[in-house]
Amino acid sequence: NILQRPSQRNLVFKEVDPSEEAASNNLAHLDQSVLLSLCLNVRNNNPHHGLTGREMLAYVERVMLCTNLPYSIEAMCLSLKGKLEWERSRVQERALLQLQELVDTFLTEDGDSRARFPWFWIVPLPSYVSMLKDLGRRYVQLGMNKTAESVGEILQDWEFVVQCCLKQGNAKRAEKIARDLLEKEPENPLHWCAL
């Protein structure tokens, strides 16, 4: 009969040494970058919804199981993981802290900077400025406007600083910045709108 259960088999599992298991999880750096590229391909070829994010997260988590990650691939994994986790309300705070930590690692001078260079060309790692802009937008979404304002000041994105000041209720500071911007560029309509 086709619907009968298959017979129970006596399976014997060999004991696995944890060091062997960790070594078997490692992929070559090129394979790691291919998996991250496949992850980005999923994002580019599918509509934006929860299942796409879950599918992408599987690729990122597999690469993060490796113990031999170079800096650029690890940073790309953390960047993607932070962006994917941001969409889930339960772990938004963790994603924000992860992105903040990643931005902070760009500025650290301890350690050998040459250790960051190998394999940097293999993944599309976002620049420091784009990560900082993303961090500022996320701060605004969580209502952390004062912190977002300081990020805008670091980037010298004065329109963003004006928006943050207005959201804080600090209209005088926003007006002062807008007037300073108008003195430099009187023809820019964005500065007039900020005023």
Side-chain angles (χ1 to χ4, degrees):
N1 189 356
I2 295 176
L3 299 176
Q4 287 180 339
R5 286 185 163 174
S7 63
Q8 295 290 331
R9 297 181 200 157
N10 292 330
L11 298 176
V12 178
F13 295 104
K14 66 175 186 171
E15 291 193 30
V16 178
D17 184 21
S19 61
E20 289 177 16
E21 186 178 348
S24 68
N25 282 336
N26 284 339
L27 298 170
H29 299 314
L30 192 58
D31 294 336
Q32 295 167 358
S33 67
V34 167
L35 282 177
L36 290 177
S37 298
L38 288 172
C39 173
L40 295 173
N41 187 40
V42 168
R43 181 184 67 192
N44 293 338
N45 292 331
N46 292 310
H48 179 73
H49 57 72
L51 292 177
T52 303
R54 300 290 178 150
E55 187 177 350
M56 290 173 63
L57 196 57
Y59 287 106
V60 173
E61 287 175 348
R62 174 59 187 101
V63 173
M64 290 186 76
L65 283 176
C66 298
T67 57
N68 63 341
L69 290 174
Y71 175 79
S72 57
I73 293 178
E74 184 178 12
M76 183 66 184
C77 283
L78 292 174
S79 172
L80 283 171
K81 186 176 179 187
K83 289 176 183 177
L84 293 171
E85 286 184 343
W86 178 259
E87 297 172 4
R88 296 173 31 213
S89 60
R90 288 176 144 184
V91 291
Q92 271 187 345
E93 190 174 322
R94 179 176 68 189
L96 181 71
L97 292 173
Q98 193 169 24
L99 186 59
Q100 175 66 52
E101 185 66 28
L102 188 58
V103 167
D104 291 344
T105 61
F106 273 90
L107 300 177
T108 58
E109 294 182 11
D110 45 322
D112 188 12
S113 62
R114 287 177 287 164
R116 296 182 182 193
F117 288 126
W119 302 98
F120 78 94
W121 48 270
I122 206 163
V123 290
L125 184 64
S127 68
Y128 171 73
V129 173
S130 65
M131 283 184 165
L132 204 55
K133 282 182 183 178
D134 191 31
L135 183 65
R137 284 193 300 269
R138 292 178 197 281
Y139 281 143
V140 168
Q141 289 176 353
L142 287 179
M144 300 171 67
N145 296 313
K146 184 67 177 171
T147 310
E149 179 186 344
S150 65
V151 168
E153 288 173 355
I154 291 170
L155 291 171
Q156 296 184 355
D157 184 0
W158 301 113
E159 288 87 5
F160 183 71
V161 172
V162 168
Q163 291 173 0
C164 292
C165 288
L166 290 174
K167 288 182 181 182
Q168 294 175 59
N170 194 350
K172 289 182 181 182
R173 177 164 159 71
E175 183 179 348
K176 181 185 179 303
I177 293 171
R179 289 195 187 278
D180 290 343
L181 291 173
L182 277 172
E183 286 177 11
K184 294 176 187 173
E185 295 180 72
E187 300 298 323
N188 191 337
L190 292 175
H191 302 327
W192 285 101
C193 291
L195 187 62

